[in-house]
Amino acid sequence: MIITILTLFPNIFTSPLQESIIKKAADKGLVDFNIVNIRDFAEDIHKICDDAPYGGGPGMVMKIEPIHKAMQHVETQKGRPKHILLTPQGRVFDEATAVRLSRLSHINLICGRYEGIDERILQFVDEEISIGDYVLSGGEMPALVLIDAIVRHIPGALGNEQSTLDESHTEKLLEYPQYTRPPVFMDMEVPPVLLSGNHEEIRKWRRKEAIKKTFFKRPDLMDAFEPNDEDRKLLRQIMEDIPE
């Protein structure tokens, strides 16, 4: 998979792409990062990529010409990717989108800055994505969020492929509680069932705890959760355990 990044600040990506699972996936040849500096496609001697907004107002707006030229360069060098604009106006990123994008051969993440990009860029992008309703300095941090979430779903990127199946949000449930050594810390004990060696009881406990955690911490996710017969039984137990 090729992940291209169009940015005014390529150095932001230097360290994050050289760490942990992302680096391992790149070292295995599973993902190839193509970082493109938008300034390289500005025509003036000062490599200016922004200008004052028409109609007045605060701040500066990224010019369309250098971004469009960068997109054309990517298509010429690497083939036509799925062009994705990182913007607060986009659809909120989620696990299903991460899975979908991980199955593509080439995506291009376009990072905006300042007050945004000239609106005409929308004629050339395929999708708009946001990572949430808050203000950031630019699209670089959202791009890193997408990269981390997407790379995890590339086959072979994780040492244990089961990991992606058990994680929070994979099926609209938060992940069950995790514990490791020591078994007792400051009088706080690991749940005995996890030390029992009974795999079926451990599975049931984890499922119940995942449902309970989601029910109390993220009730909004329960609307999309589709329980099976066992889950409905566990839900009844959870409700019965709630103090009156």
Side-chain angles (χ1 to χ4, degrees):
M1 179 183 193
I2 301 173
I3 298 181
T4 293
I5 305 158
L6 266 57
T7 175
L8 292 174
F9 300 96
N11 289 339
I12 287 177
F13 297 91
T14 302
S15 177
L17 300 186
Q18 290 297 315
E19 301 291 343
S20 189
I21 293 168
I22 296 175
K23 182 180 187 300
K24 291 178 181 178
D27 289 344
K28 291 178 182 178
L30 301 175
V31 60
D32 176 28
F33 294 107
N34 177 38
I35 302 176
V36 177
N37 191 336
I38 297 171
R39 295 187 193 280
D40 292 341
F41 299 89
E43 294 183 344
D44 68 290
I45 191 172
H46 299 294
K47 300 296 182 181
I48 295 175
C49 292
D50 61 299
D51 207 336
Y54 281 127
M60 304 292 278
V61 176
M62 288 185 68
K63 301 170 67 175
I64 190 171
E65 298 101 329
I67 297 176
H68 183 248
K69 287 182 179 179
M71 293 169 69
Q72 289 182 313
H73 170 78
V74 170
E75 292 181 4
T76 300
Q77 297 295 314
K78 302 285 186 177
R80 176 65 161 81
K82 186 177 186 69
H83 294 296
I84 299 172
L85 178 62
L86 298 162
T87 166
Q89 302 175 52
R91 179 180 177 182
V92 177
F93 186 63
D94 58 15
E95 189 71 3
T97 304
V99 173
R100 173 172 59 83
L101 295 180
S102 73
R103 295 171 178 164
L104 302 178
S105 60
H106 186 187
I107 62 174
N108 176 29
L109 305 177
I110 304 169
C111 304
R113 276 274 162 170
Y114 314 123
E115 295 302 312
I117 302 175
D118 186 305
E119 189 78 1
R120 289 169 290 186
I121 196 65
L122 297 181
Q123 300 300 315
F124 305 101
V125 303
D126 301 303
E127 189 169 350
E128 298 174 78
I129 291 179
S130 166
I131 64 165
D133 298 330
Y134 43 86
V135 178
L136 296 172
S137 300
E140 286 76 17
M141 295 301 112
L144 286 169
V145 169
L146 264 68
I147 290 169
D148 191 89
I150 290 168
V151 168
R152 299 177 63 82
H153 290 285
I154 299 175
L158 297 180
N160 183 357
E161 299 304 319
Q162 184 67 25
S163 297
T164 57
L165 299 178
D166 292 338
E167 289 173 335
S168 296
H169 302 294
T170 300
E171 60 166 337
K172 301 303 180 183
L173 285 179
L174 300 181
E175 191 175 4
Y176 50 78
Q178 297 277 19
Y179 300 86
T180 189
R181 294 180 178 85
V184 180
F185 176 72
M186 297 179 67
D187 295 329
M188 294 180 287
E189 297 184 2
V190 171
V193 65
L194 298 179
L195 307 177
S196 69
N198 188 322
H199 297 296
E200 178 61 15
E201 289 302 311
I202 291 172
R203 183 196 67 79
K204 289 181 180 178
W205 180 88
R206 285 176 167 170
R207 187 67 177 179
K208 181 178 179 180
E209 291 300 311
I211 295 171
K212 182 164 69 174
K213 183 179 283 192
T214 307
F215 182 83
F216 287 108
K217 292 189 174 183
R218 288 292 307 276
D220 56 300
L221 294 178
M222 296 300 292
D223 292 336
F225 175 52
E226 299 179 359
N228 55 32
D229 290 340
E230 181 185 59
D231 295 334
R232 282 188 280 271
K233 181 178 179 181
L234 294 174
L235 270 168
R236 286 194 294 271
Q237 293 176 6
I238 292 169
M239 298 300 292
E240 291 171 358
D241 292 340
I242 298 176
E244 294 183 0

